[in-house]
Structures are given as C-alpha cells and as structure tokens.
Amino acid sequence: MSDMTTNILILCTGNSCRSHIAEGILRDIASDMFDVHSAGSNPAGYVHPKAIAALAEIGIDISSHYSKHLDEFRNLDIHTVITVCGNVAQTCPVFSGQAARHHWGFEDPAQFEGSEEDTFEMFRKVRDQIKLVFTAYASGYREALSLRNADWGTEQAHR
C-alpha cells in the first residue's frame, strides 16, 4: 500500500457474495487510490462459488478471497466504510479514523430461489449493479482528487 491509498472496508452480513464482488471490482478499477477490504458482521465462512464465477466472467479473480469478520479490521485505519446490505447497515460499528460511510444496498443473490441458470443470472445482475455503482464512486473520487491536486498546485504557484 502506498502513502496515497485510502483504506476502504466493504461490509455485508455474510461476507460471501456482495462484499466480495464489490471488493474485487473496486480493487480492479481503483487499486491506485484504495486499499480495499471486505468483511461481514456474521461471516458465512466461505466465498460463494457463483460470486467467484460471476467476477471471473469479467476478468476479475477473487478465488483467493476468504470470509472475514469485521473485527479483523478494528486496528486498521479505515477511512471509508461502505455497507452493501441492509442488515449490516443497521449494526455497523464506527472504525478508528473513519471519515466517511456510505450505504448502497443490493439484493442478496445467494437468497435467490430458482434454477441454477436463473440463480447465476441473479449473480450477474447484482455484479453489474455493483460494478455500475462502484465505478461511479471511484470516478467521482478520482475527479475530486484531481481537482484538489489542481487547486493545491495553483495555491503553491501563488506563494
């Protein structure tokens, strides 16, 4: 991690689907700005195989991810907490150094009931929704950084 990256913790209840999908996507598009982690308030103990497969379809490998409890991050300087399910949003603790918190709720594809094919379609749908939201977040953050750096350069030039 460089001095310029910001620690982001993505939380959901089970830390088996949505938070790992979001972690994989945000790492893929913004690892230059963020050191991304995910955890759960009640970890399932595994990463859902369909979450791994849905990300593999878009070239992101989360096969080495594992389910973690949010307490593992208590001593890390977390700048931003992002909750991706309603349950954990209600019980989310505040972390040391936390400057921001966002809640973007997504359906839990693991709770979907249907055929294998329909279930995987649900994982794809949630993956695409997460990608859209987290790409917009990273783009906005990147733009804000560039504006701040431009302003800082202007201030320095006038000294």
Side-chain angles (χ1 to χ4, degrees):
M1 185 178 97
S2 78
D3 293 340
M4 298 302 291
T5 58
T6 298
N7 278 310
I8 292 186
L9 180 59
I10 302 168
L11 297 177
C12 69
T13 305
N15 189 227
S16 68
C17 296
R18 294 165 288 182
S19 53
H20 282 285
I21 291 170
E23 177 186 1
I25 287 170
L26 196 55
R27 276 188 180 174
D28 185 60
I29 61 177
S31 62
D32 60 317
M33 296 185 299
F34 304 132
D35 192 10
V36 186
H37 313 277
S38 71
S41 58
N42 185 21
Y46 67 97
V47 178
H48 200 291
K50 286 183 175 63
I52 294 169
L55 280 183
E57 281 189 337
I58 61 169
I60 299 172
D61 181 9
I62 62 165
S63 62
S64 65
H65 285 204
Y66 61 96
S67 188
K68 299 168 290 300
H69 192 277
L70 58 86
D71 285 346
E72 290 186 36
F73 299 93
R74 291 279 190 197
N75 297 324
L76 188 63
D77 185 21
I78 300 293
H79 179 275
T80 302
V81 172
I82 301 171
T83 53
V84 292
C85 78
N87 291 341
V88 80
Q90 303 302 315
T91 61
C92 183
V94 174
F95 288 81
S96 171
Q98 182 179 328
R101 179 173 164 188
H102 306 291
H103 172 68
W104 302 313
F106 300 95
E107 289 178 81
D108 185 354
Q111 298 299 316
F112 181 80
E113 293 183 17
S115 69
E116 282 289 311
E117 188 175 314
D118 289 345
T119 301
F120 195 59
E121 260 322 297
M122 176 57 85
F123 272 83
R124 286 181 175 126
K125 175 185 165 191
V126 171
R127 174 203 64 203
D128 293 346
Q129 290 170 347
I130 289 172
K131 185 174 184 188
L132 185 69
V133 169
F134 279 82
T135 299
Y137 172 72
S139 295
Y141 198 95
R142 192 175 305 281
E143 180 68 18
L145 280 180
S146 73
L147 291 173
R148 185 179 78 195
N149 290 339
D151 288 346
W152 187 84
T154 304
E155 287 174 23
Q156 294 300 94
H158 288 98
R159 289 184 182 216

